[in-house]
Amino acid sequence: MTATTTTMTLYDCSTAPSPRRARIALAEKGVAHATVQVDLRAGEQLGDAYRRINPQCTVPALVTDDGLVLTDNAGIAAYLEARFPEPPLFGSTPAERAEIASWQWRVEFEGLLSIAEAMRNRSPAPGICALPGPVDYAQIPALAERGIARLQRFLVDLDARLAGRDFIAADRFSIADITAVVAIDFARIVKVQPGDAHANVKRWRAAMALRPAMSL
């Protein structure tokens, strides 16, 4: 795929799951862009310089070539799909778009948010708050336990969904596959990974690894 040259800038963190979603989407769309790394471990996202870009103190943030600042994956993905419609990541027909949107929501709510619950409510690491952003909410250990249980259930449901399927939704690669890859990979942080009972998930993840963007 020939890259489309722009003067967009992605504020990124190479070790965090959320900006990885944006990196993969940009790569799948073939959109060349500048990248600025934000050091989350050092708390750079909370500093004045980054707050001027994104007062929510989260990554990713995408600054477009006309000065629009997008500060979450939902906005970034919607913008990229509208501006660079090929290849489509949200489907091409009303039915495809609805199915992909539904599974995108499920992967975020049942997968990624479960991991976040587990990690953020039990991590002893300095700088890890119960919720991302500028407010230091207290950890709730019981939510960590619930997050692990939800994540394990998500793997069961995702495995059932992928039985006989190459993609999560609409029989085509989509934004739901991107989000699920990031969730499955990041689940290692809470020591949960697909096992022998999740053969379909493992097959699908191996196939996803053949896409160059997934190495980002």
Side-chain angles (χ1 to χ4, degrees):
M1 179 186 298
T2 301
T4 300
T5 302
T6 72
T7 55
M8 293 189 201
T9 299
L10 177 68
Y11 287 83
D12 192 359
C13 175
S14 62
T15 58
S18 289
R20 186 183 177 206
R21 294 169 62 186
R23 287 200 304 275
I24 294 173
L26 284 160
E28 290 285 350
K29 291 287 190 182
V31 179
H33 58 280
T35 298
V36 175
Q37 289 292 323
V38 180
D39 189 342
L40 300 186
R41 290 183 181 275
E44 191 174 354
Q45 75 278 16
L46 300 173
D48 291 342
Y50 189 68
R51 283 176 187 260
R52 286 193 288 271
I53 296 160
N54 179 10
Q56 294 302 309
C57 304
T58 57
V59 289
L62 182 69
V63 180
T64 71
D65 35 17
D66 58 359
L68 180 65
V69 182
L70 304 168
T71 59
D72 56 72
N73 274 297
I76 290 170
Y79 177 86
L80 294 176
E81 185 79 351
R83 183 168 173 185
F84 308 101
E86 296 296 330
L89 294 179
F90 286 81
S92 298
T93 68
E96 285 185 349
R97 289 171 182 151
E99 186 176 336
I100 290 168
S102 179
W103 274 96
Q104 168 77 342
W105 181 86
R106 286 195 63 178
V107 173
E108 288 184 326
F109 181 72
E110 298 172 14
L112 277 175
L113 288 182
S114 298
I115 300 166
E117 274 190 346
M119 180 194 75
R120 289 185 169 276
N121 285 287
R122 73 179 185 185
S123 175
I128 299 294
C129 301
L131 291 171
V135 181
D136 188 8
Y137 292 103
Q139 292 178 326
I140 303 174
L143 289 182
E145 297 176 13
R146 187 182 75 176
I148 294 295
R150 291 181 64 214
L151 178 57
Q152 290 170 337
R153 180 66 201 186
F154 170 70
L155 284 175
V156 171
D157 291 345
L158 184 62
D159 194 76
R161 172 63 177 178
L162 286 167
R165 300 181 63 91
D166 294 327
F167 306 106
I168 289 176
D171 296 322
R172 68 190 302 163
F173 179 79
S174 75
I175 195 72
D177 293 290
I178 294 174
T179 304
V181 163
V182 172
I184 294 298
D185 290 356
F186 194 60
R188 70 184 184 278
I189 199 74
V190 293
K191 298 181 172 57
V192 176
Q193 287 285 268
D196 293 341
H198 312 110
N200 295 316
V201 173
K202 294 171 75 173
R203 168 188 51 79
W204 162 85
R205 181 62 187 90
M208 290 294 105
L210 302 177
R211 303 182 74 90
M214 294 303 174
S215 65
L216 299 174

